[in-house]
Amino acid sequence: MERLNRHQMAARVAKDIPEGAYVNLGIGLPTTVANYLPVDRDIFLQSENGLLGMGPAPVPGEEDWELINAGKQAVTLLTGGCYFHHADSFAMMRAGHIDICVLGAFQVSVHGDLANWHTGEPGAIPAVGGAMDLAIGAKQTFVMMELLTKQGESKLVEACHYPLTGLGCVSRVYTDVAVFEVGPSGAGVLEMVEGLAIEDLRKLTGVPLRESMALPA
Amino acid sequence: MERLNRHQMAARVAKDIPEGAYVNLGIGLPTTVANYLPVDRDIFLQSENGLLGMGPAPVPGEEDWELINAGKQAVTLLTGGCYFHHADSFAMMRAGHIDICVLGAFQVSVHGDLANWHTGEPGAIPAVGGAMDLAIGAKQTFVMMELLTKQGESKLVEACHYPLTGLGCVSRVYTDVAVFEVGPSGAGVLEMVEGLAIEDLRKLTGVPLRESMALPA
Amino acid sequence: MIDKSVVSAEAAVADIKNGSAVMIGGFGTAGMPDQLIEALIAQGAGDLTIINNNAGNGETGVAALIKAGKVKKIICSFPRQADSHHFDAAYRAGQIELELVPQGNLAARIQAAGAGLGAIFTPTGFGTLLAEGKETREIDGRQYVLEYPIHADFALIKAQRGDRWGNLVYRKTARNFGPIMAMAAKTTIAQVARIVPLGDLDPEAVVTPGIFVQRVIETAPVPLHAVA
Amino acid sequence: MIDKSVVSAEAAVADIKNGSAVMIGGFGTAGMPDQLIEALIAQGAGDLTIINNNAGNGETGVAALIKAGKVKKIICSFPRQADSHHFDAAYRAGQIELELVPQGNLAARIQAAGAGLGAIFTPTGFGTLLAEGKETREIDGRQYVLEYPIHADFALIKAQRGDRWGNLVYRKTARNFGPIMAMAAKTTIAQVARIVPLGDLDPEAVVTPGIFVQRVIETAPVPLHAVA
């Protein structure tokens, strides 16, 4: 079995983003999905801090620190993009104007509950940012994460034990070994890397998994 | 006793609008107050349909029917004025950003209740427009009306019998014979036209009236 | 390539169905998307719920839609006007249902829909006929009425210029309900005086970002100097 | 003649008092009104409640205000960052109270204050720690949390250009919370790169109408080509 690296995961997510989609990419790993969106497709990247039509990073030395993304990295604006204030930006999310948001996660439950903002450890300073708004607002929320923690525990779980970001909000989980659908009827496997069997995934995750290999190309 | 005509009433209201005030003038009689605002004072007229810094009517023949006031009359925009959408426009009212609004009325109670949108007659088609928002939203709501109906009944009343526009929202009532303050402690007379005594006003209105002739110049 | 421009008003409104809820921009005739409304009348969908500030003026636009018998219900703030005779007649004949909403609550409820809120407590209307039967609450010493968002299947709006991504700018007080209706409808259709190349609209001055607009039609061409 | 321009940042913030609630614009450092914050620190008011998206970055702005011990409570969405060490230290020492609010609820609550609403039902946060103890309600099959407006005594914001009536335009993503904070505070103070003559700002492109701004200060003069 060959696990996908982070670049391959990003490319895999990018493949499922159709032309014309309004997309918000969360900070960290999901941000890299932008690098794999085909340049011949009009895909609209939204950033919570008030821009639509976000372009790639500027040439080094030409950063404008008043043109940044949610991760506070310098970005650019595509021709046809525009700026707006924070209330309009979160209206875009909360009312389902954003088609797809891609988020990282600590844990996702088979029913689509998401935990990605707080470890709940004593002494940890919590910070939520836009995660809760994105998770429950977008038409579809994709999670992108390695399936296992460094300790080898599955991040796809029966029920999240970390504090929740949102209930039943995730529809699909892209990992380094498989793509899952999650939701009210539990989890299904849509794709696996070569050399992996569904039984292996059941062992790795410890959760019931349907075979749902019917993802349209 | 010499009653004020409509022009004199408008001039009287205008006298109480200080420099720098943000003001909304209701449709009908209140609109004429604009003609009596001193040109050397910066007073900001807001129109509910999305403009601030409303100027006078255009020269005949130069009307732009996409630049109108709440009464759908052609107006102009002063240098320094601007446009905005309806939600922002009513936010200006509802949250008390407008200092003064001037409205007409069918009836005002001594406690400041206002009735100005609906006669309640069977068969009458109701229309409320922005009256309810203006009445309760502005920092101060002034009413401008003739004291008596054509039938000689006082429009300043103990309790409105027409359907209400807002509760306890009016602070001052400018009429053709006197200026009243109204509110939680009832009505007081601030000014009368020459030749009128407060006893005459008590007879005309049939309501208890304090002498409150302490209006600062 | 995404191009939201549609060849005609007819094509733009083709999928509006019997029983649809349709927001129509405009304050009186300023900002009223006349060509889209004409196309809607010709298209034939009926039993419509219309959300507009008024209930039609004269013989065109919303008035013509009412006259044509296409409107089952209207949600508006100011139906009765000197020239609202088509609405007046339909209302008195019991052919049209009226939900009268104070104008600011109308705007706030449309904005709430566009922002994904479930309900709002607004002070406007408290203690009046228009709040009868509604939930109220005192918050911080002030009285509020609970009002629900107004959603729509379609919004028909008028703007000054648009581009193929659906970005819009408006003209003077014709802006009024356009920006918030665009946010509140599932499908927003904008008639614009001119479709301009992508990048012609200043990104700092776009009023309605393209995400809120699904279709744009250019109305009868007008000489450049008249639309500047 | 109304002229809202104030001669200095010091004069602009002079009446901020101990215990004031102060909104501060910015997302990280973009849009942070650094000169107003410096003047506020120098002015000395303490026990402040600060409303900002973050809790300071590095050594300047909100971070410096926290370091100076002026902040009793902060309402924000994203306090913990790589360079939020002054907040982290104050928080761990129990010297600062934190009200953590999801970013969209923060924006919606500020907007609700500016619009005079009493409360809003928002879906964000339902079923999470951040909604614990709050009223919830199912509306049309979706779960919502009741959230209250966030008002402030002052808003300190940064814009690109302003005029003597207080009209403002912003620059790129430095716009962020500026327009809604301006609407929600009793007194809004804007630092702008340039105060321009009345009429220089396009009335169609003004983002914050002057009614929402009480004071404008021009920051250190910058050559024209750098602020265009």
Side-chain angles (χ1 to χ4, degrees), chain A residues 64 66 86 94 123 125 129, chain D residues 77 80 92 103-104 171 173:
Chain A
D64 178 342
E66 292 191 335
H86 244 81
R94 203 187 297 112
I125 299 177
Chain D
S77 86
R80 188 198 61 226
R92 293 191 198 285
Q103 194 172 165
R171 186 169 176 278
T173 58

Side-chain angles (χ1 to χ4, degrees), chain C residues 32-114:
Chain C
M32 175 167 288
D34 53 334
Q35 300 199 18
L36 292 173
I37 300 172
E38 280 171 37
L40 176 58
I41 295 170
Q43 188 257 39
D47 277 334
L48 302 173
T49 294
I50 297 295
I51 299 101
N52 180 254
N53 187 58
N54 302 106
N57 297 79
E59 299 297 327
T60 60
V62 173
L65 198 62
I66 292 170
K67 184 183 177 188
K70 304 299 185 190
V71 184
K72 182 184 62 179
K73 177 180 178 180
I74 189 156
I75 303 175
C76 70
S77 87
F78 207 71
R80 188 199 61 227
Q81 299 161 89
D83 58 352
S84 61
H85 40 271
H86 288 305
F87 167 79
D88 300 358
Y91 181 76
R92 292 192 199 283
Q95 291 161 351
I96 193 167
E97 183 188 344
L98 169 65
E99 180 179 344
L100 188 69
V101 181
Q103 195 174 162
N105 285 354
L106 186 65
R109 292 173 63 189
I110 292 169
Q111 190 177 43

Side-chain angles (χ1 to χ4, degrees), chain B residues 27 48-51 64-72 83-88 90 94-95 117-118 123-133 136-137 163-167, chain C residues 27-28 30 54 77-81 87-88 91-92 98 100-105 107-108 111 122-130 142 158 171-177 179-180:
Chain B
I27 61 180
E48 66 189 20
N49 54 318
L51 79 159
D64 178 341
W65 296 106
E66 292 192 335
L67 178 45
I68 58 174
N69 65 12
K72 303 187 176 99
Y83 305 105
F84 35 84
H85 65 52
H86 245 81
D88 281 350
F90 280 81
R94 203 185 298 111
W117 72 283
H118 190 23
I125 299 177
V128 66
M132 289 187 179
D133 305 276
I136 61 102
L164 289 181
T165 305
L167 281 166
Chain C
F27 182 88
N54 302 106
S77 87
F78 207 71
R80 188 199 61 227
Q81 299 161 89
F87 167 79
D88 300 358
Y91 181 76
R92 292 192 199 283
L98 169 65
L100 188 69
V101 181
Q103 195 174 162
N105 285 354
Q111 190 177 43
T122 166
T124 301
F126 178 82
T128 76
L129 273 181
L130 299 186
R142 196 174 187 194
K158 182 182 184 179
R171 187 170 176 278
K172 302 189 179 180
T173 58
R175 184 184 304 195
N176 59 68
F177 284 92
I180 54 173

Side-chain angles (χ1 to χ4, degrees), chain B:
Chain B
M1 169 183 86
E2 187 133 358
R3 294 171 193 269
L4 303 186
N5 64 31
R6 296 162 73 92
H7 299 288
Q8 291 167 315
M9 286 171 65
R12 179 61 194 83
V13 173
K15 215 178 80 174
D16 286 351
I17 297 181
E19 172 140 55
Y22 289 89
V23 180
N24 185 298
L25 300 174
I27 61 180
L29 189 52
T31 301
T32 61
V33 171
N35 303 333
Y36 297 92
L37 296 174
V39 290
D40 61 340
R41 270 188 229 164
D42 278 346
I43 289 170
F44 305 102
L45 297 183
Q46 195 254 18
S47 188
E48 66 189 20
N49 54 318
L51 79 159
L52 189 63
M54 182 166 61
V59 175
E62 299 199 357
E63 295 86 356
D64 178 341
W65 296 106
E66 292 192 335
L67 178 45
I68 58 174
N69 65 12
K72 303 187 176 99
Q73 300 162 308
V75 294
T76 52
L77 187 76
L78 299 180
T79 297
C82 65
Y83 305 105
F84 35 84
H85 65 52
H86 245 81
D88 281 350
S89 180
F90 280 81
M92 290 180 191
M93 296 174 202
R94 203 185 298 111
H97 301 287
I98 301 287
D99 296 301
I100 296 170
C101 105
V102 185
L103 295 172
F106 298 149
Q107 292 181 323
V108 179
S109 83
V110 294
H111 301 296
D113 298 343
L114 172 66
N116 79 343
W117 72 283
H118 190 23
T119 60
E121 279 166 29
I125 299 177
V128 66
M132 289 187 179
D133 305 276
L134 281 165
I136 61 102
K139 284 202 192 82
Q140 291 187 80
T141 296
F142 293 171
V143 158
M144 184 180 171
M145 65 181 191
E146 285 165 3
L147 182 61
L148 304 179
T149 66
K150 280 171 190 151
Q151 291 73 38
E153 289 167 357
S154 175
K155 292 153 83 172
L156 179 65
V157 293
E158 280 275 353
C160 298
H161 64 256
Y162 287 125
L164 289 181
T165 305
L167 281 166
C169 53
V170 179
S171 59
R172 202 172 285 177
V173 183
Y174 294 84
T175 74
D176 51 342
V177 294
V179 180
F180 303 90
E181 56 177 9
V182 292
S185 51
V189 179
L190 294 166
E191 263 179 42
M192 292 177 288
V193 295
E194 271 190 55
L196 197 69
I198 194 160
E199 275 315 313
D200 302 326
L201 273 177
R202 289 188 177 120
K203 273 182 214 152
L204 280 172
T205 60
V207 301
L209 292 172
R210 283 191 313 279
E211 284 195 62
S212 316
M213 317 286 189
L215 186 67

